[in-house]
Amino acid sequence: MKTLMLGNEAVARGLYEAGCCFVSSYPGTPSTEITECVAKYEEVYAEWAPNEKVALEAALGASLTGKRSFCAMKHVGLNVAADPLFTISYTGVNAGLVIGVADDAGMHSSQNEQDSRHYAKASKIPMLEPSDSAEALSFAKLAYELSEKFDTAVLIKMCTRVSHSQSVVETGERVVPEQKKYEKNPAKYIMMPVNAKRRHPEVEARTKALTEWAEQTDINRIEPGQDTSCGIITSSTCYQYVKEAFGDTYPVLKLGMIWPMPQQKIKDFAATVDRMVVVEELDGFIETHCKNLGLSVSGKDLFTNIGELSQNLVKEKLGGTVQTGTCLTEDIPARPPVMCAGCPHRSIFYVLKKLNLTVLGDIGCYTLGAVAPLGAIDTTVCMGASVSGLHGFVKAGGEEMEGRTVAVIGDSTFIHSGVTGLINIAYNESNATVIILDNSITGMTGHQQNPTTGYNLKGDPCTKIDLESLCHAVGIQRVRVVDPYDMDTCQTVIKEELAAKEPSVIISRRPCALLKYVKHPGPICSDPEKCKGCKACMNIGCPAISMVDGKAKIDATLCVGCGVCEQLCKFDALGAKE
Amino acid sequence: METKNIMIVGVGGQGTLLASKLLGRLLLGKGYDVKVSEVHGMSQRGGSVVTYVRWGDRVCSPIIDKGQADCVLSFELLEAARYTEYVKPGGRIIVNSQQINPMPVVAGAAIYPENLVEKMAGLGIQVDAFDALTLAEEAGSSKAVNLVLMGRLSKHFEFTTQEWMEAIEHSVPPKFLEMNQKAFALGQSA
Ligand SMILES: Cc1ncc(C[n+]2csc(CCOP(=O)(O)OP(=O)(O)O)c2C)c(N)n1
Ligand code: SF4
Ligand code: SF4
């Protein structure tokens, strides 16, 4: 049947049709929907793991028992999973193991713009790169064939435009291959030096065999063009931009497998055209490969390695003319994302700013605490870095820093990689104050369950990690719980814990305002008689409050009645409906 | 057939995704090659959101570039103004005249520009601005702005009302079907 599917949904469909039985992932835009979609198939076991490293290792375990398995993550997630990745390259697999990784050129929703293709080359694991949903589906199936044929994990590289675009796919039936037997095989699965030394040549031989395959396969295909003055090598969404810009004018070598790349096929292609150009986003990965083959080729001399490309850009750089539109001469104010009305994170940042603290931040909805008017965060690096960074900050900074520095970290992020930093704080005894923003969900990536919420990916109740006990167990004596909507108490507790001469954790607990089960009191009102127009309530950046004719006005369609703004008004102008 | 391009823009949370889902379904049903591209993630939190809908005999790129949109369907006035550069010469903007202040305006760091409809028209764009929010409320919910806009958009398509209604039926929960159909009809006749 022909249907429209999101690239991520198509990968999920491909996994299903290939008989994948086990999926373990950690969410991350733009990869998240692969796992959410595959979880809808009853036949597939799917879970959210605490982080990407755990997810990949779990998927390896499932492959070893003989079932086809999968693991998805965003580009930066692959950094976290890189440790198992490089050695899984040596062990190989039993049943097929496929790893989905989604890059985010343009940083629509990421903290950096790394190019995951380097991981394929560095870890010597083959990587397929679909250019639309139909390929996402068929490559997912092909990945399992390759995985089992060549005894290797296989990476499928997605990107925002392929992951989050719907295009036409044709679905098929699910076929589950017979479960493979697990057999003890120390030489293959115990990677200690003596065995690893024997495995490494096997890895090199495998890459050679895969290169042969890359020469033959029709996923690396030459599409003829009438004008051989220029030949284009491309892959992924850039292939679509090239086709959009030039149709079948120029010959195109479309690479479906981006590692290892063919050699002879590229040389043969080069021989048929006057000039060869590589069109790829981010780094000159294909370009470097061509240059290593001794070919003369254009690439990053024409196209930027920053951000996304597009059809106009491709056309323009290759000498075509593009039609553009006109913009208004007027400045159009930006519309950045903001914390939702009633977001439990908002008030904590207000208090931290008021206390003029240095705040080591982390990644999640609460990163928005960095923007005006809250502007309360000093650093954001990667998941977990707030807690581990705080340890170094106060250890090296001494007493002066201890009393005025905190880390803030979300519940999902804390479990992902904050808890190891906390263990370091306890073990190496720094006087650090960590605030866990427990909104009982992984908000930023679209509300996924996590080990602290009491529900699993399929929505069933499950073991819930008790954060207080966890913090106690790693050696933190002082653990306090506050309600972020109660700003006075928050302020008192934060001050007390900063003053204490030992490490502490403050758990700020309130569910995310968007969760369906959360019952809100409903919108409050402003009293224009009482409002003096002092704008004190504007300092929390709630999108439901605006100043109209010098008076605070509450947007009743947005306000949930959290009551935080009321605590800022000295004139009693804001409050529940009478 | 030359590829047709519609950009759907608005503010996160306004229901732009349903509009693109509905269009995608309708166009696929008519036998076209279709691509619909969305940006997820941060966009949920009240930020500016863009969806591209493209159809024709063969659609390659999932995105619409500057100067290519036959129509920008905007759920909010400022968002329409943000994307005029994407409209093709002689193209159209259909816009809900509702104004939602972005945070920089709320915080007093920027001003919401005035007379945007006239200014956009001044660029040679056919601007169709109307109050979709009031019509949506009339249909039963401010959330139905997307269907009101779909109704308005339908005037520029060759598809029958029957075809639209089928697509709506498949895209909205049965509970809200009647309200959404009403919203569509109000947009169509507005
Ligand atoms: C290594 C890595 N994996 C995944 C992500 C994507 N990501 C960004 S924030 C986040 C989780 C946020 O959840 P939480 O800490 O609970 O905070 P909330 O958004 O709910 O406030 C995730 C998964 C990432 N940035 N880095
Ligand atoms: S989704 Fe939840 S946690 Fe994220 S900004 Fe909105 S209310 Fe806050
Ligand atoms: S009570 Fe105040 S702070 Fe809370 S959502 Fe309503 S307007 Fe915003």
Side-chain angles (χ1 to χ4, degrees):
Chain A
M1 195 182 75
K2 270 192 176 180
T3 41
L4 270 184
M5 267 191 196
L6 216 53
N8 281 347
E9 193 184 349
V11 172
R13 179 73 200 185
L15 299 175
Y16 168 78
E17 290 179 12
C20 172
C21 294
F22 181 95
V23 175
S24 185
S25 304
Y26 185 72
T29 316
S31 70
T32 311
E33 300 83 4
I34 303 177
T35 306
E36 288 177 331
C37 291
V38 85
K40 292 187 184 136
Y41 296 107
E42 254 173 47
E43 300 93 324
V44 185
Y45 171 82
E47 65 179 22
W48 291 128
N51 67 33
E52 293 86 351
K53 171 175 150 69
V54 173
L56 179 52
E57 290 157 352
L60 173 67
S63 152
L64 293 184
T65 56
K67 292 201 172 168
R68 286 187 167 184
S69 66
F70 177 78
C71 170
M73 62 200 70
K74 69 183 287 168
H75 59 335
V76 286
L78 196 51
N79 302 337
V80 178
D83 198 11
L85 183 79
F86 278 71
T87 304
I88 287 172
S89 177
Y90 281 35
T91 62
V93 301
N94 184 19
L97 168 57
V98 176
I99 305 161
V101 56
D103 281 11
D104 188 20
M107 291 180 278
H108 297 279
S109 204
S110 301
Q111 72 266 34
N112 78 21
E113 207 172 21
Q114 71 189 45
D115 186 332
S116 298
R117 295 176 300 174
H118 298 294
Y119 270 113
K121 185 177 178 181
S123 68
K124 303 169 197 277
I125 288 182
M127 178 181 263
L128 305 181
E129 200 176 31
S131 69
D132 61 14
S133 300
E135 283 189 349
L137 195 161
S138 65
F139 284 16
K141 293 166 84 168
L142 174 64
Y144 280 108
E145 281 173 36
L146 289 177
S147 174
E148 288 168 7
K149 181 167 177 203
F150 292 95
D151 188 10
T152 177
V154 176
L155 287 154
I156 295 187
K157 203 216 90 177
M158 305 290 283
C159 65
T160 299
R161 296 304 175 184
V162 176
S163 283
H164 286 169
S165 294
Q166 300 177 37
S167 58
V168 185
V169 300
E170 209 147 340
T171 57
E173 296 298 315
R174 175 173 166 91
V175 180
V176 186
E178 202 183 321
Q179 182 169 352
K180 303 207 170 191
K181 265 213 185 71
Y182 169 71
E183 275 166 40
K184 189 169 170 133
N185 187 348
K188 185 168 184 294
Y189 296 132
I190 304 178
M191 282 307 98
M192 54 192 194
V194 58
N195 294 335
K197 279 178 191 166
R198 291 196 197 107
R199 290 298 299 175
H200 189 182
E202 306 257 351
V203 172
E204 299 303 331
R206 179 181 73 206
T207 300
K208 233 180 177 172
L210 279 159
T211 307
E212 292 293 307
W213 188 84
E215 304 283 1
Q216 309 304 329
T217 175
D218 59 6
I219 68 168
N220 294 333
R221 62 168 185 268
I222 293 173
E223 298 179 359
Q226 313 95 26
D227 185 347
T228 54
S229 66
C230 176
I232 299 171
I233 306 186
T234 185
S235 72
S236 184
T237 192
C238 291
Y239 164 76
Q240 306 293 357
Y241 301 151
V242 167
K243 284 286 160 175
E244 188 72 39
F246 297 113
D248 298 328
T249 306
Y250 299 124
V252 168
L253 170 52
K254 196 254 182 212
L255 295 176
M257 181 154 85
I258 206 69
W259 189 258
M261 277 181 269
Q263 299 179 355
Q264 197 54 46
K265 197 176 254 181
I266 293 177
K267 287 182 185 164
D268 292 348
F269 180 68
T272 64
V273 295
D274 302 343
R275 163 184 181 231
M276 203 160 73
V277 179
V278 177
V279 181
E280 58 189 322
E281 266 170 2
L282 301 180
D283 299 333
F285 186 78
I286 305 173
E287 182 184 352
T288 305
H289 175 74
C290 294
K291 287 184 170 158
N292 288 345
L293 295 175
L295 298 169
S296 142
V297 61
S298 280
K300 291 297 150 182
D301 49 334
L302 293 174
F303 297 101
T304 173
N305 56 4
I306 300 170
E308 298 186 278
L309 304 186
S310 72
Q311 54 263 39
N312 277 4
L313 197 75
V314 170
K315 202 165 189 180
E316 206 182 296
K317 295 288 178 186
L318 293 179
T321 45
V322 297
Q323 123 189 326
T324 57
T326 22
C327 43
L328 293 172
T329 47
E330 196 109 18
D331 269 348
I332 305 293
R335 191 184 297 276
V338 290
M339 283 179 199
C340 309
C343 176
H345 298 324
R346 175 174 285 110
S347 39
I348 283 288
F349 287 107
Y350 180 79
V351 174
L352 295 175
K353 189 180 179 190
K354 192 172 160 201
L355 294 174
N356 199 18
L357 301 179
T358 299
V359 179
L360 305 196
D362 223 294
I363 305 198
C365 284
Y366 51 93
T367 310
L368 292 169
V371 297
L374 292 166
I377 294 180
D378 288 71
T379 65
T380 295
V381 181
C382 62
M383 293 187 81
S386 60
V387 182
S388 25
L390 177 66
H391 171 75
F393 201 86
V394 296
K395 201 72 174 171
E399 223 166 289
E400 190 200 334
M401 290 305 175
E402 285 171 11
R404 55 182 174 90
T405 313
V406 296
V408 291
I409 185 164
D411 47 344
S412 185
T413 306
F414 180 71
I415 296 294
H416 178 280
S417 46
V419 66
T420 37
L422 190 65
I423 291 170
N424 196 34
I425 286 173
Y427 171 53
N428 286 309
E429 299 183 339
S430 58
N431 184 8
T433 304
V434 173
I435 302 176
I436 302 176
L437 302 169
D438 178 11
N439 63 350
S440 304
I441 204 76
T442 314
M444 174 82 198
T445 42
H447 299 98
Q448 290 76 32
Q449 303 296 342
N450 70 51
T452 70
T453 66
Y455 291 90
N456 62 24
L457 167 57
K458 298 251 181 186
D460 300 323
C462 64
T463 306
K464 177 180 162 118
I465 293 209
D466 179 354
L467 285 173
E468 291 91 311
S469 313
L470 178 60
C471 296
H472 283 308
V474 306
I476 306 292
Q477 306 298 331
R478 297 183 71 98
V479 181
R480 315 264 308 256
V481 180
V482 294
D483 175 359
Y485 282 177
D486 176 358
M487 288 201 285
D488 283 345
T489 310
C490 287
Q491 181 166 331
T492 311
V493 169
I494 291 170
K495 277 175 145 170
E496 283 170 10
E497 294 314 314
L498 281 168
K501 293 287 169 226
E502 60 177 300
S504 30
V505 171
I506 301 167
I507 300 171
S508 167
R509 182 166 286 148
R510 251 295 160 183
C512 160
L514 294 193
L515 295 180
K516 291 211 171 70
Y517 69 82
V518 177
K519 294 280 169 273
H520 298 285
I524 60 158
C525 282
S526 61
D527 183 342
E529 303 284 297
K530 290 184 183 163
C531 177
K532 302 266 187 287
C534 74
K535 296 194 183 165
C537 58
M538 300 295 289
N539 291 329
I540 48 170
C542 175
I545 315 176
S546 54
M547 296 301 285
V548 178
D549 302 327
K551 304 275 179 187
K553 185 168 174 261
I554 304 294
D555 180 341
T557 64
L558 290 177
C559 174
V560 302
C562 72
V564 167
C565 59
E566 290 177 47
Q567 297 167 48
L568 298 178
C569 181
K570 290 199 181 70
F571 308 102
D572 202 22
L574 302 169
K577 263 187 201 143
E578 299 293 286
Chain B
M1 159 195 164
E2 206 184 320
T3 301
K4 289 268 183 212
N5 299 311
I6 291 189
M7 264 170 93
I8 303 175
V9 303
V11 177
Q14 275 192 304
T16 50
L17 286 185
L18 178 75
S20 54
K21 185 172 146 198
L22 199 156
L23 264 182
R25 175 167 191 106
L26 179 68
L27 294 162
L28 187 71
K30 295 296 283 182
Y32 292 112
D33 188 18
V34 184
K35 283 195 176 161
V36 178
S37 191
E38 312 152 358
V39 171
H40 300 206
M42 278 289 220
S43 50
Q44 291 176 13
R45 319 275 173 276
S48 179
V49 285
V50 189
T51 302
Y52 309 105
V53 181
R54 314 191 68 218
W55 71 99
D57 299 331
R58 180 186 173 198
V59 180
C60 296
S61 173
I63 60 172
I64 296 172
D65 220 323
K66 289 174 183 159
Q68 294 188 336
D70 295 279
C71 176
V72 169
L73 184 72
S74 180
F75 283 51
E76 197 271 350
L77 188 57
L78 187 66
E79 293 312 306
R82 193 184 307 286
Y83 293 103
T84 56
E85 210 182 349
Y86 283 78
V87 180
K88 115 159 3 158
R92 181 188 306 277
I93 291 180
I94 299 175
V95 55
N96 174 18
S97 52
Q98 185 187 358
Q99 300 192 3
I100 302 174
N101 286 337
M103 196 43 78
V105 171
V106 172
I111 44 169
Y112 198 109
E114 291 185 342
N115 306 324
L116 284 173
V117 173
E118 292 73 18
K119 286 173 187 162
M120 291 191 288
L123 299 175
I125 297 170
Q126 306 175 56
V127 183
D128 178 5
F130 72 112
D131 182 357
L133 181 62
T134 304
L135 293 176
E137 280 162 354
E138 199 176 307
S141 164
S142 59
K143 295 217 166 77
V145 162
N146 46 18
L147 267 295
V148 174
L149 284 167
M150 285 284 107
R152 191 73 158 209
L153 182 73
S154 72
K155 301 210 291 196
H156 306 286
F157 275 85
E158 67 273 30
F159 308 140
T160 64
T161 302
Q162 164 93 28
E163 286 166 334
W164 281 99
M165 287 300 164
E166 269 169 26
I168 296 172
E169 224 167 287
H170 277 106
S171 311
V172 306
K175 213 165 54 164
F176 301 117
L177 182 60
E178 205 175 313
M179 177 188 73
N180 281 306
Q181 284 172 334
K182 190 171 168 203
F184 182 86
L186 284 171
Q188 208 171 24
S189 54

